[in-house]
Amino acid sequence: MERTKLAKRFQGKVAIVTASTLGIGFSIAQRLAFEGASVVISSRKQQNVDEAADKLRAKGIEVLAVVCHVSNAQQRKNLIDKTLQKYGKIDVVVSNAAVNPSVDLILQTPESIIDKLWEINVKSTILLLKDAAPHLKKGSSVVLISSLVAYNPPPTMAMYGVTKTAVLGLTKALASEMAPNTRVNCVVPGLVPTHFVELYTTNDAAREELERKVPIGRLGTTEEMAAATAFLASDDASYITGENLVVSGGMPSRL
């Protein structure tokens, strides 16, 4: 959607988006900013953070760029501290960071990889929100990002899928715990061609096979995931909390 046609639902608000220098995270940060938010972007590498910040600033976006490896306690704290130092508050937190370093079956996955998957995909979200929660006031919003594979983890993404199933449950639990001041919801993307799944989407034959599985007949876009995230984070969703919103072009999801 053109920037000029977008509502300004986040005017005067401050949004933190983790893992936001590429793909879905970058599009979320950009969408929230286009709707008026001051955005705080982060990822593990300084170069990536700087390049993403330059792209956003070139579009007239107010952005704070912070290096944050979400599994690092000091860097998580620094992300919150820097946000408060610059903007004085936090209205929205989008937890988007995730890894998938293995294609092994669960029972063949090394313990170190299992630890890494839980650390990044589940535990880091809990610990980041633990740091952020004291600063989230009435009307604030949290959006977690899961994945369609959470509902039926395929063999090559099994342990990753299980961690994303945990994110669905985490959404429900945190929504209850953080009510009534903070709403907690989750976006569940379907097939979106980002670097995260490029193995499956850069090959034409493989991509066409995937597209045939989608009732709408195409893969999703990062902008569509951002639009769903912006809705859930905004006051338009003021009576929605604890929900997992599937954005998959009609692909089946429920357990």
Side-chain angles (χ1 to χ4, degrees):
M1 186 179 290
E2 291 179 32
R3 180 179 184 176
T4 53
K5 294 180 181 177
L6 293 174
K8 295 296 182 184
R9 295 180 292 187
F10 298 96
Q11 201 74 51
K13 294 192 175 184
V14 177
I16 294 174
V17 186
T18 64
S20 45
T21 58
L22 292 168
I24 290 172
F26 180 84
S27 285
I28 290 170
Q30 180 172 263
R31 175 64 182 250
L32 296 178
F34 280 171
E35 290 203 38
S38 297
V39 292
V40 183
I41 64 168
S42 68
S43 75
R44 293 174 297 167
K45 297 179 181 177
Q46 186 72 56
Q47 181 182 347
N48 292 354
V49 169
D50 291 343
E51 288 175 359
D54 287 344
K55 286 179 188 172
L56 293 172
R57 288 182 183 127
K59 297 178 181 183
I61 287 171
E62 169 60 31
V63 58
L64 172 63
V66 182
V67 171
C68 180
H69 195 311
V70 291
S71 67
N72 183 303
Q74 186 54 50
Q75 291 187 18
R76 285 194 305 267
K77 183 177 182 300
N78 183 58
L79 178 64
I80 301 299
D81 289 348
K82 286 277 175 63
T83 301
L84 293 170
Q85 285 166 18
K86 180 156 187 180
Y87 299 117
K89 63 172 184 167
I90 304 167
D91 299 293
V92 176
V93 178
V94 180
S95 183
N96 175 60
V99 294
N100 182 26
S102 172
V103 294
D104 292 329
L105 298 174
I106 290 176
L107 299 183
Q108 295 174 4
T109 303
E111 184 177 357
S112 62
I113 298 297
I114 293 173
D115 288 344
K116 183 175 183 179
L117 280 157
W118 278 107
E119 184 88 20
I120 305 294
N121 298 3
V122 183
K123 184 179 169 185
S124 69
T125 290
I126 297 169
L127 296 178
L128 177 68
L129 292 176
K130 201 172 181 179
D131 288 340
H135 311 287
L136 294 172
K137 306 305 181 189
K138 189 167 182 62
S140 58
S141 178
V142 170
V143 182
L144 311 185
I145 308 298
S146 182
S147 167
L148 190 64
V149 299
Y151 292 102
N152 189 21
T156 56
M157 301 177 78
M159 196 61 220
Y160 169 79
V162 169
T163 64
K164 288 303 192 177
T165 310
V167 172
L168 304 182
L170 187 60
T171 300
K172 297 286 186 186
L174 287 175
S176 175
E177 187 171 320
M178 299 180 79
N181 288 345
T182 304
R183 295 181 302 103
V184 184
N185 290 291
C186 179
V187 170
V188 185
L191 296 168
V192 181
T194 66
H195 74 289
F196 204 72
V197 292
E198 60 190 357
L199 178 67
Y200 307 100
T201 57
T202 50
N203 176 285
D204 287 346
R207 182 176 178 127
E208 286 171 11
E209 179 64 27
L210 288 174
E211 288 172 342
R212 277 195 288 273
K213 295 179 180 178
V214 185
I216 281 182
R218 62 173 177 82
L219 305 186
T221 67
T222 61
E223 290 80 11
E224 286 167 327
M225 306 308 124
T229 304
F231 164 66
L232 288 176
S234 78
D235 290 341
D236 282 345
S238 57
Y239 202 56
I240 300 174
T241 193
E243 293 300 328
N244 298 303
L245 175 60
V246 177
V247 189
S248 69
M251 290 186 72
S253 56
R254 302 299 175 213
L255 285 168

